[in-house]
Amino acid sequence: MSVKIMSAVFESETLAPTERLIMLALADHADDTGRCYPSISRLGRRTGLSERAVQTNIRKLVNQGYIRVIAGGGKNNTNVYFVSANPAADAPCTKCTPAADAPQTPQQMRPNPAADAPEPSGTITKPSEEPLFIPPREKSKRATSISDDWKPSQKNIADAHKQNLTDWEIENESEKFRDYHKSRGTKFKDWDAGWRTWIRNSREFAARSAPRRQQPQAGQQFSGLAGAAMRSRVARQQGYEG
């Protein structure tokens, strides 16, 4: 807070009521150099004005030389304001009137300047044409843990059907998927992608683990139930052939 600037704003005789209110709100955030960077929404809350009204009056104050704006120069890309209770010396004058005893010149008697009137020699600082309000950046999505009641969505089920999983297999894999990641405390930004990887790996593992039928080799002996079944089948085949 700059008490110095606030006192000067209170004593100003040229500020309109709404402009004075915004200047006081800016001075409440400023240091003694007049530098501050409150957001438009914060100024609206402090003054009770709409954001549109705040922006409109800030443009007026810029044109009158009370405020200088650096768009996006503050924290989180907010505008930086340099506040002065007295208009800048080179600001365009909006309420200037000639002295009562000042002599009139031909150009002052014209309602509009002549078409070939020369450009003024003084340098006039134009207000910034950058927007006074810059929306905050969208926050990136954070990784989260799986919920205790996670169930596959319709999209997850559709992805599983593309891998030729049956409804029973989807239900079984979803329980294993949830219990596995819950026990390990896994965190993903995209759980849909994690599910697609899971069912793809599950299908590939099932294909590799499928039992293959092996033909008995000549002279190979089997014991136990396997041997009994093999001998029974051979006996039946010999009986048919006899």
Side-chain angles (χ1 to χ4, degrees), residues 210-237:
R212 298 180 180 178
R213 298 180 60 184
Q214 298 180 351
Q215 296 296 332
Q217 300 178 359
Q220 183 177 2
Q221 299 296 325
F222 294 90
S223 61
L225 294 175
M230 180 61 68
R231 289 192 293 272
S232 176
R233 187 173 65 179
V234 171
R236 287 197 301 273
Q237 290 176 350

Side-chain angles (χ1 to χ4, degrees), residues 22-33:
I22 293 176
M23 287 286 289
L24 289 173
L26 289 170
D28 189 42
H29 293 80
D31 55 23
D32 285 340
T33 64

Side-chain angles (χ1 to χ4, degrees), residues 1-10 27-28 30-32:
M1 175 190 297
S2 174
V3 178
K4 176 182 178 181
I5 296 178
M6 292 184 72
S7 298
V9 171
F10 277 121
D28 189 42
D31 55 23
D32 285 340

